[in-house]
Structures are given as structure tokens and as C-alpha cells.
Amino acid sequence: MWNRKKLAVVIAAALSTGTVAVMACGPFFPLQVLDNRAATLAATPSNSFAYEAAHLVKAGDTLKAIESPSNTWDDAPAVNPDQPDQASLPPAQWQALQAMRQAPSDEQAYALGRQLPPALRLYTTGAVDLLAAHVCGASGEDCGRTPEALQALAIDRFQAVLALPAEQAAPRAVWAAYALARLHAARSAPGAADASAERALALAAFAQVRSLALAGAPDPWGMAVGSYGEQARLYLSTAEQRCDYTDFMNSTTCASAIAPADLKQALALYAEQAARGSDSAVQSLRMIAEWLLRDGSPAAAMVDDPLSQQLLVAYSLALMGDIVNDDPNSATDYLANADNTGQLGYADAAQGYKGVSANPMLQRLVAAISQNGVQQVAGADRLAALAYRLSDYRLAQALVDKQPGVLASWVRAKLALRRGDSEAAVQAYAEAAQGFPTLDSSIEPGEAGRLKAEQAVLSLSRGDYLQALDQFYKSGYAEDLYYVAERVLTLEELKAYVDEHVPASPIPPKPADFSSFSAEQFSTWRGQQQGLTFTQADQLRSLLARRMVRQGQIDQALGYFPDDGDPRNTEIGYDYETNTSTLVAMTPRGWAKAYVDARHDGESDWFATDRAEAWFTAANLARQHGMEIMGYQQGPDFAEFGGAYTYGTGRQSWQGIRDDSTPVPRDTPQQRAAADLPGPLVTADERDRYAASEAKPAQTFHYRYVAVALAEKAADNLPARSQAFAAMLCRAASFVQNDQPRANAVYQRYVREGAAVPFAEDFGRHCVEPDFIAAGHFTYVQAWRATRHWVHQHLYVPVGVLLILGAGIVAWRVRRARAAS
């Protein structure tokens, strides 16, 4: 529509994002639809404006837009217009072509191009003339010819290109027609001599650009699609002047004076351009739609045109908000108000919240369209969505009752939910999702996942937990999937689903020298691979494996962990001692195997110290690798973030107090379930399942407490006065050193039962390794020491015993001697 560099500065809003109801707070946290279920199900379905603008019409040919990115504040780098020909031209011809571009006059340029093909020679000479006309006109210098004369020369050269036989003209035919069209367009400005004739010539030339491109003439710069936008500008004029983007932004008299018929023509051309992938056309449509709705009266004059109707409705759904706290400017506050139901409380999601009123501008739009008769409405499903958003449920129902398609069924489901007919809503959602993920064009691909996720919310509210899991799995809403898998389904239900529907992804091949890779080599290799990440299926299998470990099914869990040899288990770490990057091999299956072996030995070894050592090994594995082998995917461990964040996903309560300012009780699993799962769309059974599946203990990084329990179990198998007993409890306290009450309980046990040791002064901070060998001998050593001590304290007893024994021996021998005599 206008200069793309100017547009880059003017346009700050992103148009590729559709409306969503809710989003978890925090850095990089993905979307969740279960944060507010009522708001999710009440939210208005809609596509992004970029998608809608590109689907106002269907392209009838294969032309595609070629545009440089517009989201830059810097000037675009200089581009050589002849670059596409460099590879096909001999070096001498390429050099001649570049020399022509630098020539100061028509005659010199034409002479320099004598060895070039005719089309290139003629077109480039005309381009030199056109540049000279621009420079001379801007500077006022005497160039030997007037700007008008130079333009006339350029026109002659471009027409000469088009007069060549088609095969000879082809390399520059599109270029020449496009240049002619723009020249005639510039000379058709309101008030110019022969403006009407020049405009007719421009319109014909723009149409010729597209015809030539469709006939096969090269169009490396996308001029054919660009011609739609240039042609549209011819209609954005009044009798006095041609309007530009500032007139629409500022609602000037120029914009309001454009005849509705001309404006409709311009919109139709921009729609054709957008249908062929032009972002510039999307921006132009957005700007005009915003102006039409802002001023109101121009929009009323446009609603009899089907395409204009569709444009205004699409813009309203995607980028127009309601009025918050009586502030008209809030209507364009997209982030807060693109879909007000996303901010509602559970009780009044469908009715709105205090301080919000329907946008009168949108109400007038719907009323104006309706006056033409519902039967003549274009894009009835979109208008139905807008009517639903504006609480005009009767009109919405009338529109979707006669409209097939995904979006219409989606709105029908919303209407059924509003009147409390969940069975009809289930059926409508099923109709909308039929054939997922291949859907009709009434919703964009990204919204297809949203549709499936809403289905899952409804299934969950009805207690269809397995169906909800399946729908979330297919929707791509991973965080909600993990919640249902981890906290709602039983372990047996989850395992059965995974076994049937969730196979592990293939292990990517590794280079032969992978084991010797440096961190830099690994980083380079990983960057060259496609999809070198674990899939959602892999993540769900790992979630199941960790849950099985938590519930004691450790042997069966091993097969659900990723293979230790999978290169996706390799991460780049950092060695702070050497200040170098290193490769870290994550081996969750190996750690889990070592953990189960250690627990087995702790249960079955013959000797107490061997059992203690096994429990100690298990405790260390639980503490060091508990996140990977038994951590909750979401709260309280947040294994999905590696514990870097302890919030942001899942169902942990964001409500710290009630409406009456009293704290929400969280002392029992049931109270925590009630706090984390408020709202009318949660069953009592879901809360019970949530309570039953919570971490034990319900503490952040719960596996650390598991490690403490295992270390204390090891201590149970050690002599209380041994060094190993004290060292074991010291290590247990270190596992939870940030939880002073729990660490202090371990310390108090040591004080009650253990012996004084040198590291007792810094207990739980600096611990020594337990001496299991000494602990194994400790009972015998202690018995010997006790005996020695007792003898030392009671020396008269053994002396008396010896004297009595000696006397007895003497008496026996005397008696024996007498008997012998």
C-alpha cells in the first residue's frame, strides 16, 4: 500500500497471533487452557487477522508475493536489481549491464549495452532515464533535458521492450510493464493534465504485469503481486488529492472523502494481494479496517459489500476489544481486551466482569450488517462469532444454524454450553474437530489445537479423564496434558494409554566420533540436525517412568526412560574450576537402575552395614538425580524446567486469599486440592484424584525428602555410636539444609542417639564420608573395650578368682597325693 520502510516504523502490532483466553505468568511459560476453565469455554473463537486477511478471497493463480521483511527499523541494504541475471549472463555482458547503470545519459547507456540482449539493453536504458528524471526533478539541476522529457524517453524504452517478440521481451517484460504502470500512475494524480487517461493506462499496465508473469515471463522481484497494491492506491484518491497512510491513521478529510465504490475496489485489490502471501497487503487492510471502525460512518457505507463485511468482522474479532472502565482507548488495548472472557472469574465468565461494556462500535457494525438481511451475510460463521462475543446469542444461533464448517460448529458448541446443554456441546465440538488436524479453512491451523484443547476441558469437566488426556495429547497443549497425566489419571490408566498410543521416538544416529566430541563440536553438530529434541511422546513416557518410580514400580519403569545412549540426553555444561564448557551425559535409565538395585540390596543384604551402605547409595541417587528419576513434571518439583522455576505451570493455586481477605487453608491434601482446583467445572472426583496423587511430602523438590528418609533408614542399620551413624545423619541434614525444621529434626536425632564427632559443630554443612568398615567392626570392638574397662575397674575380682582357683588346685593335688600313699 505504501512505502514499506515507513510502514515498518508505523506498524508495531503483531498480526500473526490469534486471541487466547489465558496464559501462565512467568518467563517463557507456555499457554494453558485449564487455568480458568469457565473462561476457556466461554472465550470467543477467532483467527488471527493475518490469517483472515489472507483468506478474504481465494487466489485463482500461482503468483506469490516476494517481499523483504518489514519488521526492521533500519534502512534495507542496497540491492542490485539485476542480481537475478548475474548467474546466466557471460561476465562481459554482466559488466556491461553494470556500466549502463552508471551512465549519465540515455545515449551513453544505450551505447554501453550494445552486446546485451535487446530487452536488457532497452529496459536498463529506460531505468537510467527514469533515475535521471527523479534526480533532476528533486535537485532542480539542469540535466540537459527536463524531467518530463526524461520520463518520455523512459516510456519509449519500456514500450520498445514490450514491442519485441515475446521470447526476446520475456527477460524484462514484467519489469517494463510494471515501470510503465507506475509512471502512468504517477502522472494520474488528481489535478494533473489527462489524469483520467493516464489512470486508464496505469490500470491496463498493472493488469499486463500480471498477465505477462502468468504467461511465464521472469518476475524475480514479485512485481506481479506487488502490482495489486500499486493499483489499489489509484482508488485511494479524491478529486483533489491522493491519500496516503497518514490520512487513514489520522482520520483526515482526504480519507473520509474517498468514494465508497473506490474504497471497495482498493480493498478487493489488497485482498487479492494478501491472498498471494503479501504481508504489505495485510498491513494495508488492517490500517483501513481500523480507520473504518474508528470513524463509524465510513464502515456503515461499506457493509453492503461482502468482502468489506468480512474484513471488518475479521478485524473486530482479532484486534478490537471492549470498553474497560469507560475508557474508549481500551478498545484497542489488544493484550488486555482482545478477548475479555480470558480475564473473567469462574462465576461470571460468560457475562463479563465489572468495568467492562460491549464496544458500541462493534454493536453498530453488527446491527448495520444485520439490516441487509442474514441471508445475504458473507462469512456468516465469523459474524456469528462476533455476535456471540457481543452477547447477541439469538443472532449467533440464527447464523450458525444455517452455516456448515468448523468455526460454525465451534460457535454452536459455545452457545450450547451457555444454555447448559453439555451433550449438545460435546456433539458440536466433535463436529468441529472431525478429521483433526486436517480442517477446513474457516479456522487457521494454530486454532485447531485450541479447538481440541477446549474439547479436552469439556471432557475433563464431565469426568471423561482418558478422553481428556487423548484430546490434550492431540491438541499440542502439553502443560494441560501433563497435569491430567500426572495428577488426574491413576497410574494404571496412564500406563495403559501410553502403552497403546505413545511410542518412543526413534533414537537419532550419532557420528562415529561422537564420544570424543568437544562442547564446541557437539554444539555445531546439534545445530546442523533437524528435530534433535525429545518429542511430546518421549516427555509423556518419561513422566510415566518417574511416576512409576515414585509409586514403587521401579523395575517396570526402566523401559519408559529414554535410552542412555540417545544423543538427545547430552547437554552442554560448564566446569567452573577450569572455566570451560563440557559435555554432560544424562543417563536417567542408568540412574534409575542403580537406584532400584540399591534399594533391593538395602532390603535383602545379610549384614546390617551392607544394608546401610545400600540405603546410603539409594539416598545419594535420590538427592543427586531425583529430579530425573522421580521428580514431578510440574509442581512441586517442576522437572520440565529442571527445577529452575518452581511455579508457572500446572494447577498450583494462584489464589492466596479468598474474596473476604481470609487465607485459603492448605493444611491437608483435600484443602490443597480445593484451593488449586476452584470453579464449577471441576468434579469432586478430580479433586480426590488430585489430592491422592500429590507429592509425599508435599514439598518443593520432594525427592530431597525421599533422600532424607533413605539416609535415616541407612542410619537405622548402623550402630548409633559409630562414626558412620553420625556421618549418615549429617548427610541427611545436608539434603534439606534449606528446610531448617526438617534439618533440625535430623540433628536432634543425632544429639539423642549419636556420639560426639569432630564435624558436629558444622552439622549438615560439612560432612565426612561414613566409615562402613569401622561400623561393621564396631560391635565387636565395643564389646572388647567394655570388657577391658570392666576388668580395669574391678581388678580384685579376677585376682580373687585366681587365688581361689589356685587354692583349689593345691587342695586337689594334696588330696590326690594322700590317696596315693
Side-chain angles (χ1 to χ4, degrees):
M1 177 177 183
W2 298 287
N3 183 283
R4 293 178 58 79
K5 296 180 185 178
K6 292 181 180 178
L7 283 175
V9 177
V10 173
I11 300 168
L15 301 183
S16 61
T17 306
T19 56
V20 293
V22 286
M23 180 169 64
C25 298
F28 316 117
F29 294 147
L31 296 174
Q32 300 179 160
V33 294
L34 289 174
D35 284 348
N36 188 329
R37 302 179 191 191
T40 293
L41 294 180
T44 304
S46 68
N47 298 314
S48 68
F49 180 74
Y51 178 85
E52 290 286 9
H55 290 79
L56 290 171
V57 299
K58 185 176 182 179
D61 51 54
T62 58
L63 296 178
K64 297 294 180 185
I66 301 174
E67 297 176 344
S68 59
S70 62
N71 58 341
T72 175
W73 291 79
D74 301 321
D75 287 340
V79 176
N80 186 333
D82 303 313
Q83 193 66 43
D85 294 305
Q86 185 173 8
S88 60
L89 290 176
Q93 290 188 1
W94 173 255
Q95 292 172 6
L97 186 59
Q98 301 313 296
M100 287 184 70
R101 290 282 184 182
Q102 306 301 319
S105 69
D106 176 277
E107 293 80 7
Q108 288 176 287
Y110 190 74
L112 288 170
R114 63 177 60 90
Q115 58 182 310
L116 288 171
L120 272 67
R121 186 183 189 188
L122 288 167
Y123 175 81
T124 306
T125 303
V128 169
D129 294 333
L130 204 57
L131 177 62
H134 174 73
V135 171
C136 295
S139 65
E141 296 179 5
D142 182 6
C143 299
R145 291 184 175 98
T146 65
E148 291 75 18
L150 289 169
Q151 285 184 3
L153 282 174
I155 290 174
D156 289 342
R157 297 296 189 185
F158 296 144
Q159 289 176 338
V161 172
L162 297 175
L164 292 169
E167 186 175 348
Q168 293 185 32
R172 287 295 184 270
V174 169
W175 306 41
Y178 187 75
L180 281 170
R182 293 192 64 179
L183 275 167
H184 289 307
R187 295 162 65 155
S188 70
D194 299 325
S196 178
E198 291 289 349
R199 173 170 162 161
L201 290 171
L203 293 174
F206 281 129
Q208 186 180 19
V209 172
R210 299 189 285 273
S211 296
L212 289 167
L214 287 171
D219 182 20
W221 297 112
M223 296 175 183
V225 175
S227 69
Y228 282 111
E230 293 293 334
Q231 185 175 339
R233 294 185 62 194
L234 295 174
Y235 293 100
L236 300 179
S237 301
T238 68
E240 291 77 26
Q241 67 182 103
R242 185 164 289 163
C243 306
D244 66 14
Y245 71 94
T246 60
D247 292 299
F248 292 93
M249 290 183 63
N250 300 320
S251 299
T252 66
T253 55
C254 181
S256 59
I258 299 173
D262 285 344
L263 192 55
K264 293 171 186 176
Q265 287 274 25
L267 291 178
L269 289 164
Y270 283 133
E272 293 287 351
Q273 187 182 8
R276 292 162 175 80
S278 170
D279 178 66
S280 175
V282 172
Q283 308 289 12
S284 299
L285 289 168
R286 180 196 68 83
M287 202 170 293
I288 293 176
E290 181 181 357
W291 166 73
L292 285 168
L293 287 170
R294 186 192 313 129
D295 281 24
S297 53
M302 300 288 289
V303 294
D304 61 333
D305 174 52
L307 188 143
S308 299
Q309 283 183 27
Q310 290 178 269
L311 171 67
L312 294 173
V313 170
Y315 182 87
S316 301
L317 281 171
L319 295 174
M320 289 296 288
D322 289 337
I323 305 300
V324 179
N325 297 329
D326 298 323
D327 178 11
N329 293 325
S330 63
T332 55
D333 185 4
Y334 171 68
L335 290 180
N337 303 301
D339 191 343
N340 289 311
T341 55
Q343 307 296 328
L344 304 182
Y346 291 99
D348 56 357
Q351 286 74 34
Y353 57 92
K354 293 180 180 179
V356 174
S357 57
N359 193 326
M361 186 187 311
L362 303 186
Q363 292 177 318
R364 288 194 295 270
L365 171 65
V366 172
I369 295 175
S370 300
Q371 286 175 1
N372 291 321
V374 173
Q375 299 299 328
Q376 285 72 44
V377 167
D381 50 1
R382 274 75 168 176
L383 182 60
L386 183 56
Y388 167 80
R389 178 179 153 192
L390 294 173
S391 301
D392 192 344
Y393 304 118
R394 181 176 299 179
L395 174 60
Q397 191 72 58
L399 290 165
V400 298
D401 280 346
K402 300 179 180 180
Q403 178 79 14
V406 174
L407 184 57
S409 295
W410 198 348
V411 175
R412 197 176 298 118
K414 301 282 185 179
L415 292 167
L417 284 171
R418 185 186 173 276
R419 63 177 183 265
D421 189 346
S422 64
E423 292 297 333
V426 169
Q427 182 178 351
Y429 269 121
E431 291 173 359
Q434 187 174 12
F436 181 84
T438 304
L439 302 166
D440 64 40
S441 61
S442 66
I443 65 170
E444 61 183 309
E447 287 300 288
R450 168 75 182 196
L451 168 62
K452 203 70 178 177
E454 287 191 12
Q455 259 193 302
V457 174
L458 182 57
S459 296
L460 195 62
S461 72
R462 292 162 54 88
D464 295 333
Y465 306 131
L466 277 171
Q467 187 174 40
L469 180 81
D470 184 66
Q471 289 162 342
F472 275 132
Y473 182 63
K474 294 173 181 176
S475 75
Y477 280 73
E479 301 308 316
D480 299 305
L481 166 72
Y482 297 150
Y483 161 71
V484 176
E486 191 163 58
R487 302 302 303 275
V488 180
L489 263 62
T490 65
L491 179 59
E492 291 71 23
E493 290 170 340
L494 176 60
K495 183 178 181 300
Y497 180 85
V498 170
D499 288 342
E500 184 174 356
H501 301 289
V502 190
S505 64
I507 300 176
K510 294 185 293 188
D513 57 344
F514 184 81
S515 59
S516 61
F517 268 13
S518 66
E520 292 74 16
Q521 289 173 311
F522 172 74
S523 180
T524 300
W525 173 77
R526 183 172 60 182
Q528 296 169 347
Q529 307 305 306
Q530 295 294 326
L532 195 67
T533 57
F534 287 113
T535 65
Q536 179 178 270
D538 297 321
Q539 298 287 356
L540 189 58
R541 292 176 66 87
S542 292
L543 181 153
L544 170 62
R546 295 193 303 273
R547 189 172 176 186
M548 294 176 76
V549 170
R550 292 196 299 269
Q551 295 187 220
Q553 299 183 20
I554 308 176
D555 289 302
Q556 302 94 313
L558 298 179
Y560 297 96
F561 284 109
D563 190 279
D564 288 344
D566 194 319
R568 292 173 292 182
N569 275 324
T570 304
E571 297 180 357
I572 298 178
Y574 191 78
D575 188 334
Y576 288 95
E577 292 184 1
T578 61
N579 292 323
T580 58
S581 297
T582 60
L583 290 185
V584 179
M586 308 294 288
T587 57
R589 183 179 293 183
W591 293 330
K593 178 65 168 61
Y595 179 72
V596 66
D597 289 345
R599 290 186 64 107
H600 179 268
D601 291 343
E603 295 283 0
S604 60
D605 277 352
W606 282 73
F607 300 103
T609 51
D610 291 342
R611 294 195 297 273
E613 191 167 3
W615 288 122
F616 180 57
T617 299
N620 280 325
L621 285 166
R623 176 60 184 88
Q624 295 169 10
H625 304 298
M627 183 71 81
E628 294 80 14
I629 64 178
M630 68 180 76
Y632 276 74
Q633 180 79 0
Q634 297 178 339
D637 303 326
F638 294 96
E640 59 186 323
F641 307 135
Y645 301 106
T646 55
Y647 59 94
T649 61
R651 301 277 68 77
Q652 287 194 314
S653 176
W654 53 269
Q655 292 179 328
I657 57 174
R658 295 192 182 95
D659 292 338
D660 60 3
S661 300
T662 60
V664 175
R666 299 183 60 85
D667 299 324
T668 67
Q670 290 71 27
Q671 287 177 341
R672 289 188 285 272
D676 294 350
L677 300 173
L681 297 173
V682 183
T683 65
D685 181 56
E686 182 183 342
R687 292 191 180 97
D688 289 341
R689 287 170 173 243
Y690 183 83
S693 62
E694 77 170 8
K696 296 176 180 59
Q699 298 281 351
T700 302
F701 307 136
H702 93 284
Y703 55 85
R704 297 181 181 181
Y705 297 85
V706 173
V708 172
L710 292 170
E712 290 200 280
K713 200 162 189 175
D716 293 341
N717 287 272
L718 293 169
R721 307 292 293 177
S722 67
Q723 177 269 5
F725 178 88
M728 193 65 61
L729 293 182
C730 180
R731 189 64 61 88
S734 74
F735 291 163
V736 286
Q737 58 183 273
N738 293 327
D739 183 348
Q740 282 303 308
R742 185 67 181 94
N744 189 58
V746 176
Y747 176 68
Q748 291 302 321
R749 179 182 177 185
Y750 159 70
V751 171
R752 290 193 308 271
E753 303 175 29
V757 291
F759 51 86
E761 293 183 1
D762 201 12
F763 197 85
R765 298 287 178 179
H766 296 93
C767 305
V768 300
E769 288 297 314
D771 188 343
F772 291 108
I773 295 176
H777 300 155
F778 186 82
T779 302
Y780 308 106
V781 172
Q782 286 295 92
W784 172 245
R785 288 177 177 174
T787 301
R788 287 179 56 193
H789 179 74
W790 187 88
V791 170
H792 180 73
Q793 294 293 323
H794 305 85
L795 187 58
Y796 62 87
V797 174
V799 172
V801 171
L802 289 175
L803 289 175
I804 293 170
L805 182 59
I809 292 173
V810 170
W812 175 75
R813 295 189 67 174
V814 169
R815 184 178 298 176
R816 186 177 179 185
R818 287 177 179 176
S821 63

